[in-house]
Amino acid sequence: MSKVYVFMADGTEEVEALTVVDLLRRAGVAVTTVSVMEREEIVSSHNIGIRTDEMFGASDYADGDMLVLPGGMPGTTHLKEHEGLQKVLKKYEKDGKYLAAICAAPSVFGSNGLLSGKQAICYPGFEEQLTGAEIVNKNVVHDGQFITSKGLGTAIDFSLTLIEILAGSEAAANVARGVQYQASII
């Protein structure tokens, strides 16, 4: 079974974060939500309290197959400023493991120089922060180990793409049918 870590901070866009968690779990993927704040509960960009499974530092993340960064502000800024998370992202990149981000969060990859020569997308207006990337105007862009997406309106397509990568096309199609969603990727 694949293992995914979803990192959250105060100001995380809750739909982007929880859609990923919900749909991956429906597909049987093990998901752990992680707070990069100094507490397990974060307050989303729309003032909704979310209790994460653990705080950063509870794991070394070596057992994961994918890291996911939801967008939202100032959540993306908090993720970008967390030194421990930056080290884990660089280790995953070096090890060829999957790195996924939606909305403003692909800018975290860009600020770390991880997108050089890769195709990517983000929330409109953040493109300049995808340093070295080729911007592709699609809802979801999968280039090697990187998966990026535009934002809230693409959260289901993004999640189904992650399922397809980790659990296969049939699992993604089953989840899409289960939530009565006609995805463009399936």
Side-chain angles (χ1 to χ4, degrees):
M1 176 189 308
S2 296
K3 174 126 186 174
V4 174
Y5 290 96
V6 178
F7 293 89
M8 298 185 204
D10 287 341
T12 289
E13 208 309 318
E14 60 277 356
V15 174
E16 295 167 2
L18 297 178
T19 299
V20 168
V21 174
D22 181 299
L23 296 187
L24 287 175
R25 286 181 177 168
R26 287 174 192 248
V29 175
V31 179
T32 301
T33 57
V34 181
S35 170
V36 300
M37 307 307 289
E38 296 293 322
R39 59 201 179 308
E40 285 184 352
E41 185 168 313
I42 61 107
V43 179
S44 76
S45 60
H46 297 96
N47 207 30
I48 298 170
I50 300 170
R51 179 166 300 282
T52 61
D53 297 318
E54 61 187 44
M55 290 175 23
F56 192 90
S59 174
D60 65 3
Y61 310 103
D63 63 340
D65 299 293
M66 178 184 286
L67 304 180
V68 179
L69 305 181
M73 288 306 241
T76 296
T77 302
H78 290 304
L79 296 176
K80 195 179 290 187
E81 293 173 347
H82 194 278
E83 290 179 20
L85 176 58
Q86 304 324 302
K87 289 177 184 174
V88 174
L89 292 173
K90 289 174 184 172
K91 173 80 169 126
Y92 265 58
E93 191 269 339
K94 180 181 173 213
D95 292 347
K97 293 186 177 186
Y98 291 111
L99 294 166
I102 185 170
C103 195
S107 67
V108 177
F109 299 157
S111 69
N112 280 288
L114 302 178
L115 293 175
S116 289
K118 299 289 183 186
Q119 293 184 338
I121 192 60
C122 61
Y123 188 79
F126 281 82
E127 294 88 353
E128 288 184 12
Q129 296 182 43
L130 303 186
T131 307
E134 175 190 343
I135 307 304
V136 178
N137 190 19
K138 292 169 130 181
N139 287 345
V140 181
V141 177
H142 178 195
D143 187 348
Q145 72 193 94
F146 290 92
I147 306 93
T148 55
S149 190
K150 282 187 177 179
L152 173 69
T154 65
I156 292 177
D157 284 341
F158 177 64
S159 300
L160 292 172
T161 299
L162 302 183
I163 293 167
E164 185 172 24
I165 290 166
L166 296 167
S169 315
E170 188 175 326
N174 287 340
V175 171
R177 276 192 298 279
V179 297
Q180 295 296 299
Y181 184 73
Q182 294 297 315
S184 60
I185 62 162
I186 299 175

